[in-house]
Amino acid sequence: MAINLKMMATFGVAGNFTGHLEQAGEAVDFTNVKTAEAKAPKAVFPTFIPHASKVTPEFLGVFPFDSTKIIFPQGEQKLQIEPECAIICNVEWAEGKVVALTPVFFGASNDCSIRKEGAKKISQKKNWGPSSKGFSDNAIAIDRFDDKGILNRYRIASFLVRDGVVHPYGEDSAVRDYSYIYGKLIEWLIDKLNNQQNEGPAEMINSYLAEAGFPSQIMVSVGATRYTEYGEHNFLQNQDKAVVVVYPEDKYSQTDIVKAVENGTLNDPEVSVLTQTVVV
């Protein structure tokens, strides 16, 4: 099956790794957001909605994905890699509501974000135009979306390469260690896609999906990992390379991945890699 992100509505999940929002300085935005349990993610936010026109903010209709570069947003200073595993899901609809999501592919994602105060919605920090986000050209098929499936073997690593030096940017983390993953994540996503309200930093997603014509597929970046000390305090600059790697832990060690990034030798079909050069 061919993957065409331009036909999909795409989303991110806020707060699905404990500690990330605090590091990003965004926890305060969610002070009044009520969740079913303490570890639950905070919200789903849109990054691209095809056919955005009347209901959906116009900027969300601009296709933001680029697998080779990030165009630095004019007038901004603080830009960070958001290293994630993203899943592509088939969507079943009934009477304008999502009734089922079936994950079919996964891959490395950079849900790149502007750190700025005063943005009322998460999406305003996410899509600033073409080449503001990334998804790997190598998406890997999902056999089953549970702890017996392929994703339970995978980890997420990320790096900032500056002047030829590779710096670990996010904590190397197992996909299975997301706060919500597998069946619990799908149940939560369906609820949010149908029922999330326009409150605080969140938006009413269902109305956007209706305007998009009830797409048969969506892509969801499941959440950003916690930053390393370096990642938390170093923002992207011109000519930096942002690298996100989703790799099988039974085949590669963390050291193997660092060496492969240093040598530029990550070309295994079992590894999903995204490498973007920052362009000002």
Side-chain angles (χ1 to χ4, degrees):
M1 185 195 319
I3 293 171
N4 185 356
L5 283 181
K6 290 183 178 179
M7 300 296 290
M8 300 181 205
T10 68
F11 301 95
V13 176
N16 202 12
F17 256 116
T18 303
H20 172 80
L21 289 176
E22 288 76 8
Q23 288 182 318
E26 295 181 337
V28 67
D29 296 343
F30 297 93
T31 302
N32 297 320
V33 174
K34 294 180 176 60
T35 56
E37 55 183 346
K39 72 169 189 173
K42 306 300 185 187
V44 172
F45 56 86
T47 53
F48 170 65
I49 305 290
H51 316 303
S53 57
K54 296 175 183 174
V55 177
T56 311
E58 188 178 353
F59 73 91
L60 286 171
V62 177
F63 185 71
F65 290 92
D66 190 321
S67 61
T68 62
K69 67 179 180 291
I70 297 165
I71 297 176
F72 203 95
Q74 285 190 321
E76 299 295 344
Q77 294 178 318
K78 294 184 174 180
L79 197 66
Q80 279 185 300
I81 305 166
E82 293 231 341
E84 314 200 11
C85 177
I87 56 174
I88 291 172
C89 299
N90 292 339
V91 188
E92 292 178 41
W93 296 90
E95 299 178 356
K97 298 285 188 181
V98 177
V99 292
L101 292 173
T102 305
V104 288
F105 291 102
F106 71 96
S109 167
N110 177 9
D111 193 34
C112 204
S113 193
I114 305 168
R115 303 296 177 213
K116 64 177 178 180
E117 295 180 13
K120 291 186 168 48
K121 301 296 182 185
I122 307 169
S123 57
Q124 293 170 329
K125 308 178 201 180
K126 297 291 186 177
N127 183 338
W128 58 86
S131 306
S132 52
K133 320 214 73 50
F135 181 68
S136 174
D137 289 331
N138 182 33
I140 300 170
I142 293 174
D143 50 357
R144 51 189 288 179
F145 197 60
D146 60 28
D147 62 6
K148 303 285 194 299
I150 186 171
L151 263 171
N152 231 47
R153 300 168 45 212
Y154 275 76
R155 301 184 70 84
I156 307 159
S158 60
F159 308 90
L160 187 155
V161 185
R162 179 172 290 168
D163 300 325
V165 180
V166 175
H167 303 275
Y169 201 80
E171 292 181 3
D172 188 297
S173 305
V175 172
R176 61 182 174 272
D177 287 341
Y178 275 114
S179 295
Y180 277 26
I181 192 64
Y182 304 139
K184 194 163 190 175
L185 175 67
I186 295 300
E187 184 180 342
W188 181 87
L189 279 172
I190 291 171
D191 175 61
K192 294 298 174 188
L193 293 173
N194 290 332
N195 303 314
Q196 181 170 284
Q197 297 302 301
N198 187 27
E199 295 171 346
E203 293 165 79
M204 188 184 287
I205 304 296
N206 191 257
S207 62
Y208 298 179
L209 288 166
E211 189 167 69
F214 307 110
S216 60
Q217 287 190 319
I218 63 170
M219 191 269 271
V220 181
S221 289
V222 179
T225 63
R226 287 181 296 274
Y227 292 117
T228 61
E229 181 77 11
Y230 182 89
E232 186 174 357
H233 297 106
N234 285 270
F235 299 97
L236 293 175
Q237 299 174 6
N238 190 37
Q239 293 305 304
D240 283 348
K241 282 190 168 57
V243 183
V244 183
V245 185
V246 178
Y247 70 95
E249 64 185 6
D250 54 348
K251 191 169 182 180
Y252 297 96
S253 68
Q254 294 182 26
T255 304
D256 292 336
I257 296 301
V258 173
K259 286 180 179 174
V261 172
E262 288 173 343
N263 300 331
T265 55
L266 274 175
N267 52 8
D268 181 340
E270 284 192 76
V271 178
S272 183
V273 184
L274 173 66
T275 303
Q276 295 168 289
T277 301
V278 179
V279 180
V280 172

